[in-house]
Amino acid sequence: MKTLSENKCFGGVQGVYSHDSRVTGTEMTFAVFMPPQAEDGPVPCLWYLSGLTCTHENAMTKAGLQAHAAEFGLAVVFPDTSPRGESVANDEAYDLGQGAGFYVNATECPWAPHFQMESYIAGELRDLISEQFAVSVYHGITGHSMGGHGALTLAMKYPGQYQSVSAFAPIGHPAASEWGRKQFEAYLGKDETAWAGHDAALLLKEKGWAGDILIDQGADDQFLELLRADALSAALVETKTSHAYRLHHGYDHSYYFVSTFARDHVSWHAERLIG
């Protein structure tokens, strides 16, 4: 692991690091905020998965999570959204390829050699974080848009690894949305049965979630139809999943929306990870 930068931040340290990933076959960059409480021992860990076009840096600089994480004593991990590099497959569209990994393990060419983001986030990077940073065994996961999709699906697929989950404006039913169908066909192939394991609305019915879920959604989100918030909300009710689904009038899809409700999410996770 290489240290690219470390800065004092709200009494803790905001660092940016890179490592050679065995899973993606590329160098991966990620960021970690360690709160001041980590000086006294391991702290719970909150994962923040970003949306389309983002790197590790977007949420690190725009979401304002560090102040809240320092208040409640949580580490925060900001992974990248995809593998990157000249040898990595890409597409001219913003919503496919580099910056648009969708947190799945691709099975189709030319994506399969590097786009293994599910295994990277839930496996390799988690192991690296646990080895290199003072984090406890208690982990929560959240994210925005494509990252909200990733947070919900990974939490349900790996329930033993995450004790809490929330999302900001998640892509809730990608198998029935242009933000999902296009990418799933490219990464996973035309067999739609393979897509169900990466769709929060469908996973709720198949696997469910034993805990509760916090979701914040802007009512004036310019991408509301693509997110299929209606399908996710219906699935939460149908499966009787304990949840708080909050619709906020006047808010859009931007980081102004995310940063407005960031403290609520950090507090939510802290209550479930620390007690």
Side-chain angles (χ1 to χ4, degrees):
M1 190 182 74
K2 302 175 186 175
T3 300
L4 304 182
S5 66
E6 287 186 332
N7 299 93
K8 194 74 173 179
C9 181
F10 293 101
V13 176
Q14 176 62 67
V16 179
Y17 311 92
S18 69
H19 73 116
D20 293 326
S21 169
R22 169 186 53 80
V23 170
T24 68
T26 65
E27 184 176 47
M28 297 293 291
T29 301
F30 63 95
V32 179
F33 172 72
M34 294 302 295
Q37 293 87 340
E39 294 180 2
D40 299 322
V43 295
C45 185
L46 177 61
W47 293 72
Y48 182 98
L49 306 186
S50 289
L52 288 166
T53 75
C54 291
T55 69
H56 68 280
E57 189 174 25
N58 294 73
M60 182 184 78
T61 58
K62 295 179 180 180
L65 289 165
Q66 293 90 341
H68 313 310
E71 176 186 353
F72 291 101
L74 298 183
V76 185
V77 180
F78 305 92
D80 202 346
T81 54
S82 76
R84 300 179 189 273
E86 293 183 3
S87 63
V88 177
N90 202 8
D91 191 271
E92 293 182 358
Y94 76 95
D95 58 355
L96 186 67
Q98 296 185 38
F102 263 76
Y103 305 102
V104 303
N105 287 340
T107 58
E108 303 297 304
C109 290
W111 312 104
H114 301 294
F115 281 72
Q116 302 294 312
M117 290 302 293
E118 177 180 336
S119 292
Y120 176 69
I121 298 294
E124 184 179 34
L125 185 58
R126 181 187 172 100
D127 290 343
L128 181 65
I129 296 297
S130 297
E131 292 168 2
Q132 299 292 330
F133 297 89
V135 299
S136 74
V137 297
Y138 299 107
H139 291 238
I141 190 166
T142 188
H144 174 229
S145 193
M146 179 184 73
H149 138 77
L152 293 171
T153 56
L154 292 180
M156 284 185 274
K157 294 182 76 172
Y158 302 92
Q161 294 192 188
Y162 305 103
Q163 288 73 50
S164 58
V165 61
S166 70
F168 300 86
I171 303 174
H173 189 21
S177 168
E178 183 59 26
W179 272 1
R181 294 187 62 84
K182 170 185 176 180
Q183 294 81 3
F184 286 177
E185 181 172 339
Y187 297 144
L188 303 173
K190 295 184 178 181
D191 181 2
E192 296 188 17
T193 60
W195 303 358
H198 306 281
D199 184 300
L202 299 178
L203 277 171
L204 277 168
K205 300 173 185 179
E206 178 191 351
K207 293 182 177 294
W209 174 254
D212 48 5
I213 300 174
L214 170 63
I215 296 175
D216 279 307
Q217 174 65 59
D220 292 284
D221 192 318
Q222 60 270 45
F223 303 114
L224 198 57
E225 292 186 5
L226 289 169
L227 299 172
R228 290 302 311 270
D230 57 332
L232 179 58
S233 178
L236 287 164
V237 172
E238 180 182 338
T239 58
K240 296 181 173 62
T241 303
S242 178
H243 68 280
Y245 195 111
R246 309 191 303 183
L247 190 65
H248 303 280
H249 292 283
Y251 285 91
D252 59 13
H253 199 69
S254 70
Y255 267 97
Y256 295 111
F257 156 69
V258 173
S259 61
T260 298
F261 301 103
R263 187 182 186 278
D264 291 352
H265 284 249
V266 175
S267 174
W268 170 279
H269 287 277
E271 182 177 341
R272 285 149 184 79
L273 298 174
I274 301 173

